Amino acid sequence: MITINNLLVQYDEHIVLNYLSASFETGQVHGIVGLNGAGKTTFFNTLGGYQRADAGEIRLSGKKPSRSDFAYLETNSFFYASITGREYLAIFPQSNASFRLDSMNSLLGVPLDELIEHYSTGMKKKLALLSVIKRDKPVYIFDEPFNGLDLESNKVLELIIRNLAAKGKTIFISSHILEPLLQVCQQIHYLDHGTFARSYLQPEFGSISGHLFDLLGKEMEEQIGRAV
Amino acid sequence: MFVLLHIRLIQLRRILAGLGLFYSLLVLSAALLLIIFSYFGYRHAPDSYYLSGGVVLALLHIHLNRKDKVFISRHLAPAWLLMSVEYLAFSLPFTLGMLASDQWYLYPLFVIAVLLLSRLTLSYRSKTRYVFLGRIIPARLYEWIAAGRKTFPLFILLYLASFALCGVKSAPLICLWLINGILCAAFQENESLALLYSRHRHAKTFLRDKIRSYLMIQALLFLPPLLLASFFIPGWIGIHISFWFLQMLLLACTITLKYKSYEPAAPSGSSVLMSIVLLSGIIPFLLPLPALLLAWSYPKALHQLNRYFYDYD
């Protein structure tokens, strides 16, 4: 179980994670949805150890986690200039014994011997994905992994996530599009104003779209009412 | 006409504000020194011609490499004029000396050259070259894979020259100093957190290993030509040892300066200081600067890295 207690993250006066508390079952795929600015990326950054929390604690199976427990695919990965994709991947030590770069790349088709600055957005995303899955970690975080991917790579990513889940890994995914989350997640959590407003289990997925659009619609109406 | 210049001045002001008063004064002193040096350089032909040509070539290089050219030409008009104004303003530390000298008549020619080069719409196109560099340099030293790739022919030519000229007193030292400049310039870009965390869990071991690995590669590169030079000019052994020590200091100082102002995936906030440190290798009264800056910036770099290498609270 991953337990989060009263997590507070703020930038100056602006509170992003508002004493967030939640529990996530390990070995499951958790989808995180929410409007822009709801705090999804900050939540992932804090969970993955990329962002220090101002208060609160995170526990992984009852213990204080280490950054090395997490593999994190960021929304926008940064790549050092003038190095090739293969050189970039070599920077990360391989801990996933079953990872075969050539086999995996035959599915993704990343031009590994080209300079990364020549890559398209989708290619960069796939390269970052390769760097994440070559590491064997108990928890994987994918922030907007489907952004920029073509249809075929979307399918490959879905299969990778299913494969990791089958190995007992805990996976967190966010997406602006609900459809892929419905395909791969066991639970979907709705993040609103820095706290989890609601969680949906798989049997409730049929109604999730309606619920979410109701919630979002109400919020939008309120915002428009305040603005106009 | 002054839109770009205005933006650059805002950027410059922010850089100077970030440096603080002491380093701002140091940067301004360096600019003043350049004006004085260029004044002496422009006093006599043919030095003045070489100097003017050098500045034009440097501007041409900047122009062919700049990435915002398409943006400027699409959204700002007239793009060539805006860029010319920018080039003329930022080359002032080199050209003020020209205007104040007897060779002032070169300035109109210089302006014409700048106006012409600003109209060039060509850009360098980067290609994937020298893939073998990634096989001979360990991946964790990616800064030098990138530096080697960007400057490969020049780099190897300078290195070969340091051997070929080892019978000439200061020639190999100049070549190696230029190589060190290329290697130090590679630290002007900050890596992402994913790269920072790729092999280390603590700031102290990260910084120590980083400096140690780069110093080792530097020693592997620099010692053979220096040993050969000492063989040919035995009286210069002391100078060669001091030179090697100074280059080590310059490199270690550059690395600590980079991490002193480390922000994930952003350009280094210490670029100006790094350039001054590198110049200190050839300006005698600035020689103690790298040692002082290393001692000052090492704990600051550790402190800054600890902001990212924290443990879960």
CSV table of all heavy atoms in Angstrom, one decimal, chain B residues 55-66 69 87 117 124:
chain,number,residue,atom,x,y,z
B,55,VAL,N,36.0,39.8,-35.5
B,55,VAL,CA,34.7,40.1,-34.9
B,55,VAL,C,33.6,39.8,-35.9
B,55,VAL,O,32.6,39.3,-35.5
B,55,VAL,CB,34.7,41.6,-34.4
B,55,VAL,CG1,33.3,42.0,-33.9
B,55,VAL,CG2,35.8,41.9,-33.4
B,56,VAL,N,33.8,40.2,-37.2
B,56,VAL,CA,32.8,39.9,-38.2
B,56,VAL,C,32.6,38.4,-38.3
B,56,VAL,O,31.4,37.9,-38.4
B,56,VAL,CB,33.2,40.5,-39.6
B,56,VAL,CG1,32.3,40.0,-40.7
B,56,VAL,CG2,33.2,42.0,-39.5
B,57,LEU,N,33.7,37.6,-38.3
B,57,LEU,CA,33.5,36.2,-38.4
B,57,LEU,C,32.8,35.6,-37.2
B,57,LEU,O,31.9,34.7,-37.3
B,57,LEU,CB,34.9,35.5,-38.5
B,57,LEU,CG,35.5,35.5,-39.9
B,57,LEU,CD1,36.9,34.9,-39.8
B,57,LEU,CD2,34.7,34.8,-40.9
B,58,ALA,N,33.1,36.1,-36.0
B,58,ALA,CA,32.4,35.7,-34.8
B,58,ALA,C,30.9,36.0,-34.9
B,58,ALA,O,30.0,35.1,-34.6
B,58,ALA,CB,33.0,36.4,-33.6
B,59,LEU,N,30.6,37.2,-35.4
B,59,LEU,CA,29.1,37.5,-35.6
B,59,LEU,C,28.5,36.6,-36.6
B,59,LEU,O,27.3,36.2,-36.4
B,59,LEU,CB,29.0,39.0,-36.0
B,59,LEU,CG,29.3,40.0,-34.9
B,59,LEU,CD1,29.3,41.5,-35.4
B,59,LEU,CD2,28.4,39.9,-33.7
B,60,LEU,N,29.2,36.4,-37.7
B,60,LEU,CA,28.7,35.5,-38.7
B,60,LEU,C,28.3,34.1,-38.1
B,60,LEU,O,27.3,33.5,-38.4
B,60,LEU,CB,29.7,35.3,-39.9
B,60,LEU,CG,29.3,34.5,-41.1
B,60,LEU,CD1,28.1,35.1,-41.8
B,60,LEU,CD2,30.4,34.3,-42.0
B,61,HIS,N,29.3,33.6,-37.3
B,61,HIS,CA,29.1,32.3,-36.7
B,61,HIS,C,27.8,32.3,-35.8
B,61,HIS,O,27.0,31.4,-35.8
B,61,HIS,CB,30.3,32.0,-35.9
B,61,HIS,CG,30.2,30.7,-35.1
B,61,HIS,ND1,30.3,29.5,-35.8
B,61,HIS,CD2,30.1,30.4,-33.8
B,61,HIS,CE1,30.2,28.5,-34.9
B,61,HIS,NE2,30.0,29.1,-33.7
B,62,ILE,N,27.7,33.4,-35.0
B,62,ILE,CA,26.5,33.6,-34.1
B,62,ILE,C,25.2,33.6,-35.0
B,62,ILE,O,24.3,32.9,-34.7
B,62,ILE,CB,26.6,34.8,-33.3
B,62,ILE,CG1,27.8,34.6,-32.2
B,62,ILE,CG2,25.3,35.2,-32.6
B,62,ILE,CD1,28.2,35.9,-31.5
B,63,HIS,N,25.3,34.4,-36.1
B,63,HIS,CA,24.1,34.5,-36.9
B,63,HIS,C,23.7,33.2,-37.6
B,63,HIS,O,22.5,32.9,-37.6
B,63,HIS,CB,24.4,35.6,-38.0
B,63,HIS,CG,23.2,35.9,-38.8
B,63,HIS,ND1,22.2,36.6,-38.4
B,63,HIS,CD2,22.9,35.5,-40.1
B,63,HIS,CE1,21.2,36.7,-39.3
B,63,HIS,NE2,21.6,36.1,-40.4
B,64,LEU,N,24.7,32.5,-38.0
B,64,LEU,CA,24.3,31.2,-38.7
B,64,LEU,C,23.8,30.2,-37.7
B,64,LEU,O,23.1,29.2,-38.1
B,64,LEU,CB,25.5,30.6,-39.4
B,64,LEU,CG,26.0,31.4,-40.7
B,64,LEU,CD1,27.3,30.8,-41.3
B,64,LEU,CD2,24.9,31.5,-41.7
B,65,ASN,N,24.2,30.4,-36.4
B,65,ASN,CA,23.8,29.4,-35.4
B,65,ASN,C,22.5,29.8,-34.7
B,65,ASN,O,21.9,28.9,-34.0
B,65,ASN,CB,24.9,29.2,-34.4
B,65,ASN,CG,25.9,28.1,-34.8
B,65,ASN,OD1,25.5,27.0,-35.0
B,65,ASN,ND2,27.1,28.5,-35.0
B,66,ARG,N,22.1,31.0,-34.8
B,66,ARG,CA,21.0,31.4,-33.9
B,66,ARG,C,19.7,30.7,-34.3
B,66,ARG,O,19.4,30.6,-35.5
B,66,ARG,CB,20.8,33.0,-33.8
B,66,ARG,CG,20.5,33.7,-35.0
B,66,ARG,CD,20.5,35.2,-34.8
B,66,ARG,NE,19.5,35.6,-33.9
B,66,ARG,CZ,19.4,36.9,-33.3
B,66,ARG,NH1,20.4,37.7,-33.6
B,66,ARG,NH2,18.5,37.2,-32.5
B,69,LYS,N,16.0,32.9,-35.7
B,69,LYS,CA,16.0,33.6,-36.9
B,69,LYS,C,14.7,33.5,-37.6
B,69,LYS,O,14.1,34.5,-38.1
B,69,LYS,CB,17.1,33.1,-37.8
B,69,LYS,CG,17.9,34.2,-38.4
B,69,LYS,CD,19.3,33.8,-38.9
B,69,LYS,CE,19.4,32.4,-39.4
B,69,LYS,NZ,20.8,32.0,-39.5
B,87,TYR,N,23.5,43.1,-33.1
B,87,TYR,CA,25.0,42.8,-33.3
B,87,TYR,C,25.8,44.0,-33.0
B,87,TYR,O,26.9,43.9,-32.4
B,87,TYR,CB,25.2,42.3,-34.7
B,87,TYR,CG,24.5,40.9,-35.0
B,87,TYR,CD1,24.1,40.7,-36.2
B,87,TYR,CD2,24.4,40.0,-34.0
B,87,TYR,CE1,23.4,39.4,-36.5
B,87,TYR,CE2,23.7,38.8,-34.2
B,87,TYR,CZ,23.3,38.5,-35.5
B,87,TYR,OH,22.7,37.3,-35.8
B,117,LEU,N,25.6,40.6,-43.3
B,117,LEU,CA,25.5,39.2,-42.8
B,117,LEU,C,24.1,39.0,-42.1
B,117,LEU,O,23.6,37.9,-42.1
B,117,LEU,CB,26.6,38.9,-41.8
B,117,LEU,CG,26.7,39.5,-40.4
B,117,LEU,CD1,26.0,38.7,-39.4
B,117,LEU,CD2,28.2,39.6,-40.0
B,124,TYR,N,23.1,27.0,-40.0
B,124,TYR,CA,23.8,25.7,-40.0
B,124,TYR,C,22.8,24.6,-39.7
B,124,TYR,O,21.9,24.8,-38.9
B,124,TYR,CB,24.8,25.7,-38.8
B,124,TYR,CG,26.1,26.4,-39.0
B,124,TYR,CD1,26.6,27.3,-38.1
B,124,TYR,CD2,26.9,26.1,-40.1
B,124,TYR,CE1,27.8,27.9,-38.3
B,124,TYR,CE2,28.1,26.8,-40.3
B,124,TYR,CZ,28.5,27.7,-39.4
B,124,TYR,OH,29.7,28.3,-39.6
